[in-house]
Amino acid sequence: MNITLICEESFDGIMTAVYDGWVFMNKGYEVSIHPGKEYAVTFFSEFVSVRTDIDKAVKVAESIKVKISIEAFVMVYRACMHFDKGRADAVFGFLRLAYPVGARVTKMLSNPYVMKLMELSRKVSNESHFFKEFLRFEELKGGILYSKIEPKCDVISFVSQHFAERFPEEDWIIYDIKRKKASVHKHGMDCVIIQGQDMEKMIKDFQVSDEYRELWKVFFHAIAIPERNNLKCQQTNLPQWYRKNMTEFYEAHD
């Protein structure tokens, strides 16, 4: 008996599916979890839609912290933010292994579920680290700082946490164009995540000519040494997909 649970792509959606999946598993079902609406229906599995339930999601998240470890929870959370279509199955398989053995599961590197989860977690961690370095703000009317990014993984929560600690007294918005997901920060307050809004259209009337953008591009080109130009090295340290929304590379897209 096979059952596929279809859930939201969010962390809460996947955790809800894990909760329901455990119930089905205890009834003898072979469970797989698919986040998102794009999937191919087969004759060999029953498909069940799972509505996100915050209470269920919290119960699963807390049980991971208490019964396994904080380290395992961080790995699971990061893995859920990956774009891999099999990430939810990797999380479910990891948890099936982890609950009986506890904290030592993160050392079981020969297990394919542990290796897969670590791989997904590492990818998300690395990409969020890059965007903390490569993210660029522009100033809107009213002194609001605005930045847009297009990450492969859903890293906006990690990136916004970094800038909330770095710029706690500033008003800023970080917008994930691909997912239409924005982190909005008002000085002295916590970040608020907003989904489903086209922030590019909303801020259009608030954009102003920024002389510092031009100064930064002039500086970027002024410090370059043509004789030591190494495009291959540049591509390694700063891949193309990070450059699209970086101020110093804007002219390439004008």
Side-chain angles (χ1 to χ4, degrees):
M1 295 183 290
N2 298 322
I3 192 163
T4 300
L5 303 180
I6 309 300
C7 64
E8 288 184 356
E9 295 191 83
S10 65
F11 175 74
D12 289 334
I14 295 175
M15 290 298 98
T16 302
V18 168
Y19 184 99
D20 289 352
W22 219 268
V23 175
F24 282 111
M25 183 183 70
N26 288 334
K27 292 180 179 179
Y29 286 88
E30 287 291 330
V31 177
S32 61
I33 302 174
H34 184 93
K37 298 178 180 179
E38 297 182 2
Y39 58 92
V41 178
T42 70
F43 292 107
F44 306 105
S45 182
E46 180 183 353
F47 286 75
V48 177
S49 295
V50 174
R51 180 178 296 179
T52 300
D53 186 317
I54 300 299
D55 289 336
K56 290 180 179 179
V58 169
K59 287 179 181 178
V60 175
E62 291 301 317
S63 72
I64 296 172
K65 296 175 186 177
V66 174
K67 297 181 180 179
I68 308 174
S69 68
I70 297 296
E71 181 184 5
F73 172 77
V74 172
M75 287 173 57
V76 167
Y77 182 80
R78 286 177 179 163
C80 289
M81 298 299 105
H82 202 281
F83 58 86
D84 191 297
K85 293 182 179 179
R87 64 190 183 278
D89 280 336
V91 167
F92 193 68
F94 172 81
L95 293 177
R96 289 177 62 181
L97 172 70
Y99 277 119
V101 302
R104 64 187 179 91
V105 69
T106 56
K107 310 300 180 185
M108 300 170 64
L109 302 182
S110 62
N111 185 278
Y113 285 115
V114 178
M115 285 299 296
K116 179 65 174 179
L117 203 77
M118 290 188 72
E119 178 187 341
L120 298 177
S121 176
R122 188 182 301 112
K123 167 64 179 177
V124 174
S125 180
N126 289 343
E127 189 171 21
S128 65
H129 175 72
F130 280 130
F131 274 103
K132 290 172 188 177
E133 296 182 344
F134 300 146
L135 182 146
R136 302 289 186 259
F137 284 107
E138 63 177 291
E139 189 171 0
L140 306 178
K141 291 178 182 177
I144 300 172
L145 301 177
Y146 175 74
S147 178
K148 54 188 178 182
I149 58 176
E150 297 182 58
K152 293 182 178 181
C153 302
D154 187 356
V155 299
I156 198 166
S157 59
F158 306 106
V159 176
S160 59
Q161 181 182 6
H162 168 78
F163 284 100
E165 295 172 356
R166 187 175 179 186
F167 300 139
E169 297 305 317
E170 300 288 345
D171 297 330
W172 48 259
I173 300 170
I174 299 175
Y175 180 55
D176 183 337
I177 300 173
K178 182 178 179 181
R179 297 171 179 81
K180 289 190 175 181
K181 188 175 184 179
S183 178
V184 180
H185 179 269
K186 183 173 177 59
H187 62 278
M189 300 179 66
D190 293 332
C191 297
V192 176
I193 301 294
I194 299 174
Q195 283 189 277
Q197 299 290 334
D198 190 337
M199 200 62 64
E200 287 284 89
K201 292 182 178 179
M202 293 177 67
I203 63 100
K204 205 167 187 180
D205 294 333
F206 293 90
Q207 291 179 306
V208 295
S209 178
D210 189 353
E211 62 181 10
Y212 287 101
R213 178 189 297 175
E214 298 305 317
L215 287 172
W216 176 250
K217 288 198 289 186
V218 170
F219 171 75
F220 175 74
H221 290 291
I223 63 172
I225 304 174
E227 292 77 13
R228 301 186 66 179
N229 190 24
N230 187 333
L231 294 178
K232 187 174 182 180
C233 181
Q234 290 178 14
Q235 292 282 5
T236 300
N237 293 312
L238 182 54
Q240 285 287 348
W241 67 81
Y242 293 110
R243 302 185 184 196
K244 187 174 182 180
N245 297 299
M246 293 179 67
T247 306
E248 55 267 47
F249 294 105
Y250 270 181
E251 63 184 8
H253 306 283
D254 292 340

